[in-house]
């Protein structure tokens, strides 16, 4: 089925470890986004991309890096994980520069940093 | 910067009760407005959206929302809720600037429908 696929679905990291979250979409969307979801805080934008090879900072970019080497993939990296990065991470993509098409979300990655 | 406020954090309703969830945003220009729903353990799904035209928009599963520009509001309504509507609901706003669209989400409202 077409959509946004996130891997892994769950992960436990120790403080200081690194990891990469993968987001893949097969809808030929130009725009991709990484959000984190925390209780009582809704979704906050970490980084986003408006096309292959481009990335930009969102609302809460510190401690994260991203790359968009291929149009269909958007990677989110944590170089040195901290307990404050315990969260549920959602990737999303959209077709148009006009937001009226809405976003398609992945199923999320639940990350725990101990 | 744009912001979105959802004042109801947790709402408990009995089945068949009517629902109204508040959403206010802070931006004076043209906006696109959305409501998303997140069922337990699932990802966000689009309920409905408004970008122009009739300020009363209808979405899936019997939900509707009304855009009132003078009040900067986009409240979500449903005449009669069902147990299956138990979920978290997020209002989101995007500025219609013609550049890369970035949604700003509210903090969410958790709806619990009891039998």
């Amino acid at each position: 089925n077409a959509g946004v696929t996130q891997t892994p679905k769950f992960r436990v990291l120790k403080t200081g470890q690194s990891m990469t979250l993968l987001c893949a979409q097969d809808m030929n969307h130009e725009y991709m986004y990484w959000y984190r979801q925390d209780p009582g805080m809704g979704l906050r934008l970490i980084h986003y991309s408006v096309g292959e090879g481009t990335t930009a900072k969102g609302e809460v970019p510190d401690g994260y890096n991203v790359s968009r080497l291929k149009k269909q993939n958007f990677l989110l990296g944590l170089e040195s994980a901290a307990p404050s990065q315990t969260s549920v991470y959602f990737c999303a993509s959209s077709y148009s520069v006009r937001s009226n098409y809405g976003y398609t979300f992945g199923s999320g990655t639940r990350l725990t940093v101990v | 910067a744009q912001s979105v406020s959802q004042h109801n954090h947790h709402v408990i309703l009995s089945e068949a009760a009517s629902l109204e969830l508040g959403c206010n945003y802070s931006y004076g220009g043209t906006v696109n407005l959305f409501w998303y729903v997140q069922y337990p353990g699932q990802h966000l799904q689009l309920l409905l959206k408004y970008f122009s035209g009739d300020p009363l928009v209808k979405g899936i599963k019997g939900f509707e929302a009304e855009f009132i520009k003078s009040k900067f509001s986009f409240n979500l309504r449903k005449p009669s809720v069902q147990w299956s509507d138990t979920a978290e609901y997020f209002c989101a706003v995007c500025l219609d600037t013609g550049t890369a669209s970035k949604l700003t989400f509210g903090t969410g409202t958790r709806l619990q429908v009891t039998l």
Side-chain angles (χ1 to χ4, degrees), chain B residues 11-27:
Chain B
V11 173
I12 303 174
L13 293 174
S14 300
E15 258 200 335
S18 64
L19 169 72
E20 180 161 3
L21 301 182
C23 173
N24 290 91
Y25 63 93
S26 62
Y27 182 71

Side-chain angles (χ1 to χ4, degrees), chain A residues 4-8 20-24 31-37 43-49 55-61 64-68 73-78 88-93 103 105-106 108-109, chain B residues 103:
Chain A
V4 177
T5 303
Q6 290 184 235
T7 53
T20 300
L21 282 66
L22 172 63
C23 176
Y31 307 94
M32 298 187 75
Y33 313 84
W34 276 107
Y35 285 87
R36 60 177 289 173
Q37 183 182 26
L43 279 81
R44 293 179 292 168
L45 182 64
I46 305 171
H47 286 281
Y48 65 100
S49 168
T55 63
K57 294 180 180 180
E59 182 185 356
V60 288
Y64 305 95
N65 56 74
V66 287
S67 64
R68 183 106 181 262
N73 295 336
F74 194 30
L75 279 62
L76 177 71
L78 287 73
V88 180
Y89 292 85
F90 285 100
C91 177
S93 69
Y103 288 12
F105 281 87
T109 296
Chain B
L103 289 182

Side-chain angles (χ1 to χ4, degrees), chain A residues 76-89:
Chain A
L76 177 71
L78 287 73
E79 291 185 345
S80 179
S84 60
Q85 294 178 303
T86 293
S87 186
V88 180
Y89 292 85

Side-chain angles (χ1 to χ4, degrees), chain B residues 4-98:
Chain B
V4 182
S5 298
Q6 292 181 247
H7 302 294
N8 312 107
H9 299 296
H10 189 192
V11 173
I12 303 174
L13 293 174
S14 300
E15 258 200 335
S18 64
L19 169 72
E20 180 161 3
L21 301 182
C23 173
N24 290 91
Y25 63 93
S26 62
Y27 182 71
T30 302
V31 294
N32 296 325
L33 298 156
F34 304 81
W35 276 97
Y36 281 84
V37 60
Q38 185 178 30
Y39 297 104
Q42 297 189 25
H43 61 281
L44 278 77
Q45 303 171 45
L46 182 65
L47 261 183
L48 47 78
K49 60 189 178 185
Y50 170 83
F51 48 93
S52 65
D54 188 343
L56 183 63
V57 292
K58 295 189 183 300
I60 60 173
K61 304 185 179 184
F63 285 91
E64 64 178 31
E66 184 175 14
F67 170 53
I68 303 179
K69 189 174 182 179
S70 61
K71 295 185 177 181
F72 298 90
S73 69
F74 189 56
N75 292 354
L76 181 71
R77 301 194 293 247
K78 186 171 184 179
S80 176
V81 295
Q82 300 174 310
W83 179 79
S84 58
D85 292 325
T86 294
E88 192 154 16
Y89 293 80
F90 293 93
C91 181
V93 171
C94 184
L95 304 182
D96 186 10
T97 63

